[in-house]
Amino acid sequence: MLLTISTTVSPATDLGFLLFKHPDKVQVFDQAFGTAHVFYPEASGARCTVALLLDVDPVKLVRSRGKASTDFTLGQYVNDRPYAASSLLSSAMAGVFRTAMRGRCDARPELAATAIPLVISLPALPCRSGPQLAVKLFEPLGWQVRAEPVPLDEEFPAWGDSRYVRLTLTGTIRLADALNQLYVLLPVLDDSKHYWVAPDEVDKLIRAGEGWLASHPERGHITRRYLANRRALVRTALGRLAEVDDAVEDELERGPIEEEPTPDADGDADVATEDEPAAPPVPLAERRIQAVLETLHAEEARRVIDLGCGSGKLLQRLLQDPAFDRVTGTDVSYRAVTIALRHLRPERLPRPQAERLAVFQGALTYSDERFRGYDAAVLMEVIEHVDQSRLHAVERVVFGDARPRSVIVTTPNVEYNVRYEGLAEGKRRHPDHRFEWTRAEFQEWAGQVTEAYGYRVRYVPVGDDDAEVGPPTQMAVFTLGGRA
């Protein structure tokens, strides 16, 4: 099976630095199931292409499964695994390009952190749900996708297409992100893995999916297929992703996860027996947005800035409400800003809405005149992503320099974590959280802010207010001039 990655960044041969593989050398790496070869079909200053060729030995593949395999058919040895991209290729990438996937490059650190033009080609990729699935998985990540069905026999077109596609991805993206997306999505498209899916697969998914999986519209489908529809693992993964994107948190709260029946060791299908609720409750993400909107109306705010806007869900709701004359979003992540603009599509909005909207990249730890002039600022699920040592800088920028009339802050209530089945004791809701506060800790912080900057504060529970552990989300509403 073959994977090629091409770039036209100048100089293009810097691709070798990013991958830690010299363009003038052919390198060979032993795998448990065969041999991986890395070489460069072309390497010039204008264009450079690296190829990963995986030579799968069917006998070694069967032996690598150990005694766990109970399949004694010829299909163990005669199959598509040596020829079609699958979890075998993902495993080889994780070994051969490990450092590149982590985004580390001591020789070219600025290039490792930069989006570069890439063209990725896979001549034979199993796509069990058809080419449209490849488009649905890669297009939201910013790729231009060409997925061409491979005919069963080119000499007999009447036989139709096979379940394989020739996939070409074109886009401008960080190389580390591209590699991690391939690592996760190849086995998802194939809907199969060559090894037993153990609990540590959740950690692999979270690491490889950081920065893109939580906001992906097909995240539930991706998570289920990657984890082989193992209910407990899927719930755990969605729980850990929950605070990165509200919609994933909603999936966690829904309870039983609907999944495809999966054959067990006896060849039968395990079918979930839990009944889905007839009328599911309003998701926490929606209740959080509603609480923020209600508070903004109560504060009579007309000019609102969303500090840490993420994918732009709150911005979209603000734009739909004519009570808000000016709607602005900002985020420290350039990728988040790009996703927000892609979701909002200002070029397609009616002119009155488009004129009310502004979205830009900005850091909350530095004073920025663009943060000033608003009636209200919203930090919805933002502060827990900031190192506590830098919170003072955020306070100074928001409450001291921008100084809107109202500031709305929401953050997870760590006491409520015991109600999430997918979270182990002591685990935070997402690895990117620098902290998660109890209600007392949140109120202590808010009290210090009011004393330092002359605001008043009131607290609003968001979600079901559990008598024992409180609400899942806690919200503080800071106001100038005594409206508390």
Side-chain angles (χ1 to χ4, degrees):
M1 66 186 75
L2 180 67
L3 162 71
T4 63
I5 304 173
S6 302
T7 186
T8 54
V9 69
S10 182
T13 48
D14 276 358
L15 181 63
F17 287 104
L18 295 179
L19 294 171
F20 286 75
K21 303 292 181 288
H22 199 288
D24 293 339
K25 296 181 180 179
V26 175
Q27 294 180 266
V28 179
F29 303 87
D30 289 331
Q31 307 290 306
F33 42 79
T35 307
H37 307 263
V38 177
F39 57 95
Y40 289 77
E42 59 179 337
S44 68
R47 181 180 173 87
C48 188
T49 299
V50 65
L52 172 59
L53 176 65
L54 184 59
D55 185 9
V56 175
D57 184 332
V59 176
K60 289 181 70 175
L61 178 59
V62 173
R63 289 175 178 172
S64 69
R65 295 173 181 168
K67 297 180 180 180
S69 176
T70 58
D71 183 4
F72 297 102
T73 66
L74 186 62
Q76 290 187 99
Y77 302 93
V78 182
N79 51 55
D80 66 351
R81 299 298 85 175
Y83 314 106
S86 65
S87 61
L88 294 169
L89 185 57
S90 291
S91 294
M93 288 171 53
V96 174
F97 298 143
R98 179 182 291 109
T99 305
M101 290 176 67
R102 293 174 180 168
R104 204 194 89 203
C105 180
D106 296 336
R108 299 288 189 277
E110 69 291 340
L111 186 60
T114 302
I116 61 175
L118 294 172
V119 178
I120 296 176
S121 298
L122 290 154
L125 174 65
C127 205
R128 295 181 187 272
S129 300
Q132 64 275 9
L133 180 59
V135 175
K136 287 171 66 177
L137 295 188
F138 284 103
E139 201 170 65
L141 299 173
W143 294 102
Q144 294 179 16
V145 184
R146 189 173 72 216
E148 302 171 317
V150 176
L152 285 170
D153 193 315
E154 293 185 356
E155 295 185 8
F156 299 95
W159 288 8
D161 296 325
S162 69
R163 63 183 181 89
Y164 304 92
V165 299
R166 298 184 186 94
L167 182 68
T168 303
L169 305 173
T170 305
T172 301
I173 188 170
R174 269 199 336 142
L175 179 63
D177 293 335
L179 294 173
N180 280 293
Q181 290 165 12
L182 287 172
Y183 174 82
V184 171
L185 296 180
L186 291 183
V188 169
L189 288 164
D190 185 31
D191 199 14
S192 178
K193 281 196 171 183
H194 69 281
Y195 56 87
W196 172 251
V197 176
D200 64 349
E201 289 297 297
V202 174
D203 291 328
K204 296 179 185 178
L205 177 63
I206 296 297
R207 283 196 301 269
E210 185 175 0
W212 63 272
L213 178 56
S215 61
H216 199 293
E218 298 294 327
R219 59 193 157 264
H221 189 61
I222 293 170
T223 302
R224 291 181 179 90
R225 278 199 172 191
Y226 183 87
L227 297 173
N229 289 316
R230 293 192 60 191
R231 179 183 299 274
L233 299 186
V234 172
R235 287 187 62 83
T236 299
L238 291 177
R240 292 177 60 181
L241 285 167
E243 290 302 316
V244 179
D245 186 84
D246 291 335
V248 185
E249 185 179 68
D250 299 344
E251 293 190 55
L252 176 68
E253 290 218 325
R254 278 194 303 214
I257 295 172
E258 185 178 339
E259 60 186 46
E260 304 168 7
T262 305
D264 58 19
D266 299 324
D268 299 322
D270 295 324
V271 181
T273 58
E274 294 92 340
D275 294 328
E276 291 289 338
V282 178
L284 177 59
E286 176 60 24
R287 297 173 76 171
R288 185 185 295 131
I289 290 177
Q290 288 178 0
V292 169
L293 292 174
E294 289 171 4
T295 303
L296 290 171
H297 279 287
E299 294 298 321
E300 300 178 355
R302 301 192 65 83
R303 297 166 298 171
V304 180
I305 183 168
D306 185 0
L307 300 172
C309 64
S311 60
K313 291 186 176 179
L314 178 61
L315 296 178
Q316 190 170 45
R317 298 289 288 276
L318 291 169
L319 277 178
Q320 293 168 356
D321 192 329
F324 303 110
D325 296 334
R326 185 178 173 193
V327 175
T328 300
T330 183
D331 201 287
V332 69
S333 167
Y334 176 78
R335 176 171 174 75
V337 170
T338 302
I339 293 173
L341 289 171
R342 188 183 305 144
H343 288 171
L344 294 167
R345 297 191 173 187
E347 71 281 359
R348 298 189 181 183
L349 289 174
R351 185 173 178 180
Q353 283 192 10
E355 290 176 344
R356 291 160 53 210
L357 175 67
V359 183
F360 60 87
Q361 184 181 14
L364 296 183
T365 51
Y366 299 96
S367 296
D368 191 326
E369 61 181 11
R370 295 175 296 178
F371 297 163
R372 302 171 191 157
Y374 293 90
D375 300 322
V378 179
L379 292 92
M380 191 169 69
E381 307 301 283
V382 170
I383 61 172
E384 63 273 11
H385 294 274
V386 180
D387 290 325
Q388 285 191 262
S389 61
R390 305 186 71 188
L391 269 183
H392 289 301
V394 175
E395 297 162 13
R396 175 182 53 78
V397 169
V398 175
F399 296 93
D401 188 69
R403 205 164 179 76
R405 177 161 46 83
S406 303
V407 179
I408 301 172
V409 178
T410 76
T411 193
N413 169 23
V414 71
E415 296 168 80
Y416 193 88
N417 285 3
V418 296
R419 299 293 187 253
Y420 287 125
E421 295 179 20
L423 288 180
E425 184 177 356
K427 284 279 188 179
R428 295 172 183 165
R429 298 187 194 180
H430 187 266
D432 187 54
H433 286 185
R434 302 324 197 241
F435 60 87
E436 289 176 356
W437 279 334
T438 64
R439 287 167 290 175
E441 289 170 330
F442 183 49
Q443 292 180 19
E444 180 183 1
W445 170 79
Q448 293 171 356
V449 169
T450 60
E451 290 181 11
Y453 296 99
Y455 281 77
R456 291 189 180 183
V457 65
R458 70 179 187 272
Y459 304 99
V460 180
V462 180
D464 295 333
D465 197 355
D466 189 291
E468 186 177 339
V469 298
T473 295
Q474 45 191 339
M475 182 167 80
V477 183
F478 298 86
T479 54
L480 282 170
R483 188 185 292 178

